[in-house]
């Protein structure tokens, strides 16, 4: 059984930092594309960063320069370092693997071939 387990969410003030973790099990981690989605209240769920199995990494414009995605294949874990957090970063953050669509009506969603974590809440206050 494939499992993705996120941790590290919480509440911070604007300008602060958080690091999210996602630990995977049940599949060959280093052969997977991994990413993080942001589901803000009342809006679509957007892929904000993705790292392909070859290490190539991309970011949405909304987080470029503020968020950093990394992975530790030995620990089957990806990390999302979030700095200079803004109120609009509030929402549920989902870790996902494989066939990652850039935008979804809701998360989890997209292709049946994708794997999802349960989501972790991030709340940024002004």
């Amino acid at each position: 059984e494939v499992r993705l387990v996120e941790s590290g969410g919480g509440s911070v003030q604007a300008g602060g930092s958080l690091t999210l973790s996602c630990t995977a099990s049940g599949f060959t981690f280093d052969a997977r594309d991994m990413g993080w989605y942001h589901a803000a209240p009342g809006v679509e769920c957007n892929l904000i960063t993705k790292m392909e199995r070859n290490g190539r990494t991309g970011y949405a414009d909304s987080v470029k320069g503020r968020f950093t995605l990394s992975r530790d294949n030995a620990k089957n874990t990806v990390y999302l370092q979030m700095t200079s957090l803004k109120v609009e970063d509030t929402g549920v953050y989902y870790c996902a693997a494989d066939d990652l669509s850039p935008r979804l009506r809701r998360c989890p969603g997209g292709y049946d071939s994708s794997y999802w974590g349960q989501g972790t809440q991030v709340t940024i206050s002004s």
Side-chain angles (χ1 to χ4, degrees):
E1 178 190 6
V2 174
R3 291 191 69 203
L4 302 179
V5 179
E6 299 108 332
S7 62
S11 299
V12 297
Q13 287 192 318
S17 302
L18 281 174
T19 297
L20 307 182
S21 301
C22 170
T23 299
S25 60
F27 62 21
T28 306
F29 180 78
D30 58 5
R32 309 290 176 169
D33 296 344
M34 300 294 298
W36 287 90
Y37 284 83
H38 173 222
V43 299
E44 291 180 318
C45 187
N46 293 307
L47 180 63
I48 55 171
T49 182
K50 180 179 78 172
M51 182 180 288
E52 298 175 0
R53 64 202 73 181
N54 61 12
R56 185 168 64 183
T57 307
Y59 299 91
D61 288 343
S62 60
V63 305
K64 202 171 291 183
R66 299 188 300 122
F67 291 10
T68 302
L69 178 64
S70 60
R71 68 192 291 167
D72 184 337
N73 288 336
K75 295 182 177 180
N76 285 5
T77 299
V78 290
Y79 304 95
L80 181 64
Q81 293 177 278
M82 306 187 294
T83 64
S84 302
L85 284 160
K86 304 176 181 180
V87 171
E88 51 264 42
D89 294 322
T90 293
V92 180
Y93 285 74
Y94 292 90
C95 174
D98 292 349
D99 299 322
L100 306 177
S101 300
R103 193 171 294 110
L104 297 169
R105 282 191 177 184
R106 59 177 175 81
C107 282
Y111 296 101
D112 290 342
S113 52
S114 299
Y115 300 100
W116 290 83
Q118 81 284 1
T120 186
Q121 176 70 43
V122 170
T123 303
I124 311 301
S125 58
S126 60

